[in-house]
Amino acid sequence: MIYETNATIHSGSLPGPNAKKLMERRLKSVSKGVSYTTGLFIKEAKGALIKDVDDNVFVDFTSGIGVDNIGHCDDAVIAAVKEQVDQYIHPCFNIAMYEPYVELAEKLGALTPGNRSRKVMFANSGAEAVENAVKLARAYTGKQGIISLECSFHGRTYAAMTLTSKVKPYKTGFGPFLPETYKIPSAYCYRCPYEGQYPNCGIACAEKLKTLLKGEIAAENVAGLILEPVQGEGGFIVPPKEYLKALESICKSNHIVFIVDEVQSGFSRTGKLFASEHYDLNPDILLLSKSIAGGMPLSAVIGSEEIMDSVGSGQIGGTFCGNPVSCAAALQVLKRIDELKLNDKSMQIGKQITDRLNQMKDKFDIIGDVRGLGAMVAVEFVKDRGTKEPYSEIIKKIVEQCYQKGVLIMSAGIFSNVIRFLPPLVMTQDQVAYGMDVLEAAIQDVIK
């Protein structure tokens, strides 16, 4: 049995009656600006499985958008949270300090790639971490400009939204945006803007940064460059190592703060604790969130000591930043990653998914590209492999078909033509196989 429960999937009859009732209430009371992928309302979750309010069970390939890398409701994390709640919940670190904040800062500072002294501040979300990174870069350098990449996603608050590349739905109607921001091409090798082919392309996309610093904004006016080592919402774009190293080198030689956003790619998602390790990066600032605390809200800004201490007391932080319950959960997450050998599991799961997707690519002409790093995997759909015209219309149909068969997946991509896989890293081989079987059947069904 693939399901570790007696519940069953009511194929073709989702959502069920209880979920439908909740959806009616949702539509009346919740802003339509808050999106949803399916009609699922959750009742409970464990490991890689979710049970809905009608007792249907789903294999989850989304992990709460990359939040539950160690699996839903890990027993050790739950125990740590309960123990902390029994002691104190929120004294506010600015008023009454507590050890979990300090201990977590020590551990993350020591684990961050690079060989320099690090300091840490905690916030509540990935977007909030990005906002603080912008503040720190500008304060440290005394400069204003911030550069980000095409196909990037950094959040929905104003600086983060400005630095994000995808216009719809994230930026439409919300201008004007943060001034003094600039974009350079990402290394989207499948859709190279220079029509090159790696590795014989000379990494022309990285050279664009040099051009930008000569033709549009002087390096003397650029405070920082922010990038995702593997782009998330942009479609799980995995750049060549030379690309990221080139950008890092240009930043270092021009006193530009090199900011690496690992909100989605961190905590063993790519087969290493941080994706930066695959590329031998030494970020000036590293940003973390999502899977940092096993489902509790928390983010981290980790930077060199001189950058983190370039601001005065009270200039960064916030009321709920570094909540002790979240810090206790995060400390347990770090232990569980080692105990469960999740880096190895990430590579095994990623290989199993990638192998199956490549088999599907041989079978279905609408699959244009399969890519990923560890268990951060994506498949891109096109109408024609020659023209690479995005096939975005098919994505919702595939997502819905999978949902009806008990598999949760989600879309991504600058053209909304990518399906991304973020399975909990405790997912079993049988659960992966079931998900891939359902996906293949869904593709076959929608192209009839």
Side-chain angles (χ1 to χ4, degrees):
M1 290 288 293
I2 191 166
Y3 299 118
E4 302 154 4
T5 172
N6 292 325
T8 58
I9 289 292
H10 301 293
S11 177
S13 60
L14 299 172
N18 293 326
K20 286 180 179 178
K21 290 177 183 177
L22 282 168
M23 179 61 81
E24 290 176 3
R25 292 168 58 189
R26 180 206 197 278
L27 294 175
K28 291 178 181 179
S29 61
V30 178
S31 168
K32 68 178 182 180
V34 179
S35 67
Y36 59 91
T37 302
T38 69
L40 185 148
F41 279 86
I42 188 171
K43 178 179 180 180
E44 60 182 276
K46 192 71 177 177
L49 302 176
I50 289 177
K51 184 188 290 187
D52 78 357
V53 291
D54 294 289
D55 289 335
N56 299 299
V57 178
F58 301 82
V59 182
D60 179 20
F61 282 85
T62 71
S63 296
I65 317 184
V67 167
D68 298 301
N69 286 2
I70 66 166
H72 293 282
C73 295
D74 178 85
D75 289 341
V77 172
I78 290 174
V81 166
K82 288 181 177 179
E83 181 180 356
Q84 181 58 56
V85 167
D86 284 341
Q87 296 171 351
Y88 52 88
I89 296 175
H90 178 69
C92 186
F93 192 71
N94 305 99
I95 304 300
M97 295 176 285
Y98 37 88
E99 186 176 3
Y101 190 116
V102 177
E103 183 181 356
L104 183 60
E106 291 171 337
K107 289 185 180 297
L108 289 177
L111 290 168
T112 298
N115 54 2
R116 63 178 88 180
S117 178
R118 306 280 185 175
K119 285 193 173 182
V120 182
M121 71 150 290
F122 294 114
N124 304 295
S125 68
E128 197 171 353
V130 171
E131 297 283 340
N132 279 281
V134 171
K135 290 167 62 176
L136 286 161
R138 286 178 165 176
Y140 174 66
T141 62
K143 301 187 284 185
Q144 293 79 43
I146 303 291
I147 299 170
S148 63
L149 273 54
E150 294 174 357
C151 304
S152 61
F153 180 84
H154 297 291
R156 292 178 174 88
T157 52
Y158 258 87
M161 176 180 60
T162 301
L163 299 171
T164 290
S165 184
K166 193 172 182 179
V167 175
K168 292 183 178 181
Y170 303 116
K171 301 171 77 167
T172 300
F174 296 136
F177 303 109
L178 191 73
E180 292 298 317
T181 59
Y182 305 84
K183 292 222 170 22
I184 60 172
S186 63
Y188 195 169
C189 293
Y190 180 66
R191 297 182 180 276
C192 177
Y194 302 100
E195 299 185 355
Q197 188 170 357
Y198 180 79
N200 301 314
C201 59
I203 314 296
C205 47
E207 290 297 310
K208 176 61 179 176
L209 178 56
K210 293 180 180 178
T211 304
L212 182 79
L213 296 178
K214 290 184 180 296
E216 294 188 46
I217 181 172
E220 290 79 10
N221 293 324
V222 179
L225 180 146
I226 184 169
L227 58 81
E228 304 157 274
V230 178
Q231 292 188 305
E233 175 65 22
F236 285 19
I237 298 167
V238 184
K241 181 176 181 177
E242 300 95 318
Y243 172 77
L244 295 182
K245 292 299 290 182
L247 297 187
E248 180 182 35
S249 177
I250 295 168
C251 287
K252 303 291 186 188
S253 62
N254 286 282
H255 190 51
I256 296 171
V257 177
F258 185 60
I259 306 166
V260 178
D261 177 346
E262 293 233 30
V263 168
Q264 191 163 161
S265 62
F267 296 96
S268 300
R269 173 51 56 189
T270 65
K272 293 186 181 292
L273 188 61
F274 304 121
S276 297
E277 298 174 68
H278 289 284
Y279 299 96
D280 298 325
L281 300 179
N282 184 11
D284 296 315
I285 295 177
L286 182 72
L287 307 180
L288 305 172
S289 190
K290 287 193 181 287
S291 273
I292 189 173
M296 298 296 293
L298 185 68
S299 64
V301 180
I302 307 170
S304 64
E305 185 173 359
E306 60 270 22
I307 293 175
M308 299 302 289
D309 285 346
S310 64
V311 293
S313 177
Q315 288 193 283
I316 55 177
T319 302
F320 290 100
C321 293
N323 175 273
V325 182
S326 294
C327 288
L331 287 167
Q332 195 59 236
V333 165
L334 291 174
K335 292 180 183 178
R336 295 296 282 160
I337 285 173
D338 288 337
E339 291 170 357
L340 299 172
K341 296 181 171 54
L342 291 190
N343 285 333
D344 293 339
K345 280 282 292 178
S346 177
M347 297 304 293
Q348 293 164 9
I349 291 171
K351 184 179 187 305
Q352 186 180 358
I353 294 174
T354 302
D355 286 349
R356 281 296 305 274
L357 291 176
N358 278 317
Q359 291 172 16
M360 294 181 215
K361 182 180 177 183
D362 291 338
K363 185 176 181 179
F364 302 116
D365 290 340
I366 61 170
I367 293 180
D369 193 34
V370 174
R371 53 182 178 262
L373 190 60
M376 191 171 183
V377 184
V379 54
E380 181 164 352
F381 290 84
V382 294
K383 294 180 180 178
D384 183 277
R385 285 184 178 174
T387 64
K388 299 181 182 178
E389 182 183 354
Y391 200 171
S392 56
E393 308 96 287
I394 203 171
I395 300 299
K396 286 185 178 180
K397 296 177 182 178
I398 294 173
V399 170
E400 177 64 20
Q401 288 276 14
C402 288
Y403 164 62
Q404 292 295 332
K405 298 291 186 180
V407 174
L408 300 179
I409 57 175
M410 63 186 303
S411 65
I414 196 73
F415 304 107
S416 302
N417 67 321
V418 174
I419 290 176
R420 54 176 154 171
F421 300 89
L422 289 164
L425 302 180
V426 296
M427 185 174 279
T428 67
Q429 289 184 345
D430 285 346
Q431 289 167 344
V432 173
Y434 179 79
M436 293 299 102
D437 288 346
V438 168
L439 174 67
E440 184 170 351
I443 295 172
Q444 183 69 65
D445 187 65
V446 298
I447 63 174
K448 285 181 180 177

